[in-house]
């Protein structure tokens, strides 16, 4: 691989990499810049497509929540906004640093590299942490439905987000503050990240795995609670039609949560597996190249998050349409439909609140969809 812009054939570069590994030295970063020219083009295309797309859709979600007062007051949407903000940072930090290092092969000293990597670590850690807060919010909505509004207030949601972002910022800056590889690059501690300590990578990977397990457990408990509730209501009614409706509801919830968890685990587990392996063994060049592709899946997960957690919410979609109409009205666009008649900002927010309250009354009046409606509402 060309390191620091030095030309050479692919065979000579690979021979140099193997020689570097055998000599336990990586002064010129040759053992990290292992992508071939074809692999550079493929990964570059993924980043150039996924990066801007992730930035635009998460920025859109963030702006809708920011400019809609009714959504800003809801803890659930504060967690979704935190997720969108983390994914915006991920699209910026990961794309620029990854392309700068692997494709353009710009060299940075220990401070510059650790600062860039700290930004990527903060973004992805905050993204997973926001997913956990969202899952816990849905869990409390199901298991503590009667006291949910008392337990999950806007003040407590903001406090939890402050703790989350403070903790992730400190964790991401630990290598820059001194927890780094004591030998530098002679020899390197890891084959995936220069200047990073193996103990730090092991702790961070374990922390992310714990967060993922908690997310999986929260959604599993939600599905189990919904299944038990629908089963108990069906046994009280004793109607075959209700049983079929319950089965359809259980299947729909299982498919929804299954899709969420499958994407989450499928995007994160491959990269985390390589990180765990890098702590215990010396990875080969093929494994390093595979990790480069697996790490782009984390960016893909940030691109999918708005589709799974934000745009599936009916209230947020309506707020997006209202915001679009207000922008068009500012630009003197033609009125699209009678449904979005001109209103003041306060009247629009009050209409969202009234709509949510009326739906809540109808949901409580319908006994067969008590739990499932709460799930759908989130």
């Amino acid at each position: 691989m060309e390191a620091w812009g030095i030309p050479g054939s692919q065979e000579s570069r690979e021979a140099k990499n193997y020689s570097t590994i055998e000599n336990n030295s990586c002064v010129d970063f040759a053992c990290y810049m292992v992508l071939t020219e074809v692999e550079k083009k493929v990964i570059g295309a993924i980043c150039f497509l996924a990066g801007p797309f992730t930035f635009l859709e998460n920025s859109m979600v963030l702006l809708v929540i920011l400019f809609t007062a009714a959504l800003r007051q809801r803890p659930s949407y504060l967690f979704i906004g935190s997720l969108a903000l983390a994914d915006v940072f991920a699209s910026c930090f990961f794309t620029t640093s990854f392309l700068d290092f692997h494709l353009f092969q710009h060299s940075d000293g220990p401070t510059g590299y650790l600062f860039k990597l700290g930004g990527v670590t903060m973004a992805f850690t905050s993204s997973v942490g926001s997913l956990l807060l969202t899952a816990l919010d849905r869990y409390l909505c199901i298991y503590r439905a009667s006291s949910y509004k008392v337990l999950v207030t806007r003040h407590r949601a903001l406090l939890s987000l402050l703790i989350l972002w403070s903790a992730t910022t400190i964790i991401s800056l630990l290598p820059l503050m001194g927890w780094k590889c004591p030998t530098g690059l002679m020899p390197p501690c890891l084959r995936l990240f220069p200047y990073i300590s193996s103990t730090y990578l092991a702790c961070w990977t374990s922390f992310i795995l714990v967060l993922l397990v908690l997310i999986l457990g929260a959604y599993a408990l939600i599905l189990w609670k919904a299944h038990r509730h629908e089963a108990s209501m069906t046994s009280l009614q004793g109607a075959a039609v209700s049983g079929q409706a319950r089965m359809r509801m259980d299947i729909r919830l299982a498919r929804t949560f299954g899709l969420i968890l499958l994407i989450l685990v499928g995007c994160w587990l491959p990269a985390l597996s390589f990180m765990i392996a890098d702590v215990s063994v010396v990875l080969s060049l093929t494994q390093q190249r595979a990790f480069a592709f697996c790490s782009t899946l984390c960016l893909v997960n940030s691109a999918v998050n708005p589709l799974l957690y934000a745009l599936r919410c009916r209230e947020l979609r309506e707020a997006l349409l209202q915001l679009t109409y207000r922008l068009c009205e500012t630009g003197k666009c033609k009125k699209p439909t009678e449904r979005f008649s001109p209103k003041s900002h306060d009247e629009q927010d009050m209409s969202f609140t009234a709509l949510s309250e009326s739906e809540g009354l109808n949901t409580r009046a319908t006994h067969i969809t008590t739990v499932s409606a709460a799930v759908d509402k989130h």
Side-chain angles (χ1 to χ4, degrees):
M1 174 60 59
E2 296 180 8
W4 311 101
I6 301 176
S9 63
Q10 182 65 30
E11 292 79 6
S12 63
R13 291 194 297 269
E14 291 187 358
K16 182 180 179 180
N17 288 336
Y18 282 115
S19 176
T20 300
I21 293 177
E22 291 177 357
N23 294 331
N24 291 326
S25 176
C26 194
V27 178
D28 57 354
F29 279 25
C31 59
Y32 296 104
M33 300 179 181
V34 296
L35 297 179
T36 64
E37 294 300 325
V38 176
E39 292 168 344
K40 286 182 181 180
K41 294 179 180 179
V42 175
I43 287 187
I46 295 174
C47 291
F48 280 120
L49 291 176
F53 179 75
T54 303
F55 177 82
L56 290 176
E57 61 176 350
N58 282 284
S59 298
M60 178 186 66
V61 171
L62 199 59
L63 290 175
V64 170
I65 297 176
L66 182 64
F67 287 102
T68 307
L71 298 184
R72 292 198 308 269
Q73 302 301 321
R74 300 274 295 276
S76 301
Y77 289 103
L78 292 178
F79 298 142
I80 293 177
S82 173
L83 176 62
L85 180 62
D87 290 335
V88 166
F89 287 154
S91 64
C92 296
F93 296 151
F94 177 83
T95 303
T96 54
S97 61
F98 190 85
L99 295 179
D100 185 66
F101 184 82
H102 285 286
L103 268 69
F104 304 116
Q105 298 182 347
H106 289 170
S107 59
D108 291 308
T111 303
Y113 176 82
L114 292 178
F115 181 79
K116 291 181 179 179
L117 185 62
V120 177
T121 305
M122 180 195 67
F124 283 135
T125 308
S126 300
S127 179
V128 179
S130 298
L131 289 176
L132 176 61
L133 291 179
T134 303
L136 293 178
D137 175 64
R138 296 177 175 181
Y139 169 83
L140 292 176
C141 180
I142 299 301
Y143 276 78
R144 297 291 186 269
S146 59
S147 59
Y148 169 76
K149 291 186 178 181
V150 178
L151 292 175
V152 185
T153 62
R154 186 173 186 270
H155 176 74
R156 291 181 178 178
L158 292 174
L159 180 61
S160 63
L161 291 177
L162 178 62
I163 295 174
L164 170 65
W165 283 90
S166 300
T168 54
T169 301
I170 294 174
I171 291 173
S172 62
L173 293 180
L174 286 177
L176 196 60
M177 292 187 293
W179 193 359
K180 57 185 178 180
C181 180
T183 58
L185 299 177
M186 301 181 63
C189 295
L190 300 170
R191 294 298 173 181
L192 297 180
F193 306 101
Y195 305 118
I196 296 298
S197 171
S198 57
T199 55
Y200 172 80
L201 183 62
C203 292
W204 183 82
T205 305
S206 302
F207 177 68
I208 296 297
L209 287 174
V210 170
L211 295 184
L212 294 178
V213 170
L214 292 177
I215 294 173
L216 294 176
Y219 280 117
L221 289 175
I222 292 173
L223 184 60
W224 179 69
K225 179 68 173 181
H227 177 78
R228 286 194 59 186
H229 175 79
E230 300 295 339
S232 62
M233 298 308 299
T234 302
S235 62
L236 291 176
Q237 286 187 344
V241 177
S242 299
Q244 294 175 0
R246 177 182 62 83
M247 183 178 298
R248 289 195 298 268
M249 179 60 67
D250 291 345
I251 292 175
R252 187 166 64 86
L253 289 176
R255 287 177 179 175
T256 301
F257 291 148
L259 178 63
I260 292 175
L261 299 179
L262 179 62
I263 293 177
L264 180 64
V265 174
C267 290
W268 276 97
L269 191 58
L272 293 176
S273 300
F274 280 109
M275 293 181 190
I276 295 174
D278 192 27
V279 174
S280 55
V281 298
V282 177
L283 300 183
S284 64
L285 295 181
T286 302
Q287 292 171 329
Q288 289 178 269
R289 291 167 180 160
F291 171 77
F293 283 93
C294 292
S295 61
T296 59
L297 293 177
C298 299
L299 180 62
V300 173
N301 181 72
S302 296
V304 176
N305 282 338
L307 304 177
L308 293 178
Y309 295 93
L311 298 180
R312 289 176 63 92
C313 300
R314 178 187 50 78
E315 290 180 338
L316 193 142
R317 291 197 305 268
E318 292 185 355
L320 175 61
L321 293 176
Q322 292 282 6
L323 181 61
T324 303
Y325 171 69
R326 289 201 294 267
L327 293 176
C328 290
E329 189 180 42
T330 303
K332 296 181 179 180
C333 294
K334 185 178 179 181
K335 182 179 176 181
T337 58
E338 291 296 330
R339 180 181 178 183
F340 300 104
S341 57
K343 296 181 181 179
S344 65
H345 184 73
D346 294 336
E347 288 175 347
Q348 290 170 357
D349 294 337
M350 289 176 62
S351 65
F352 285 128
T353 305
L355 181 61
S356 301
E357 291 177 354
S358 62
E359 287 184 349
L361 293 175
N362 292 333
T363 302
R364 286 190 292 269
T366 307
H367 64 277
I368 194 62
T369 58
T370 304
V371 174
S372 59
V375 175
D376 294 338
K377 189 175 181 180
H378 279 67

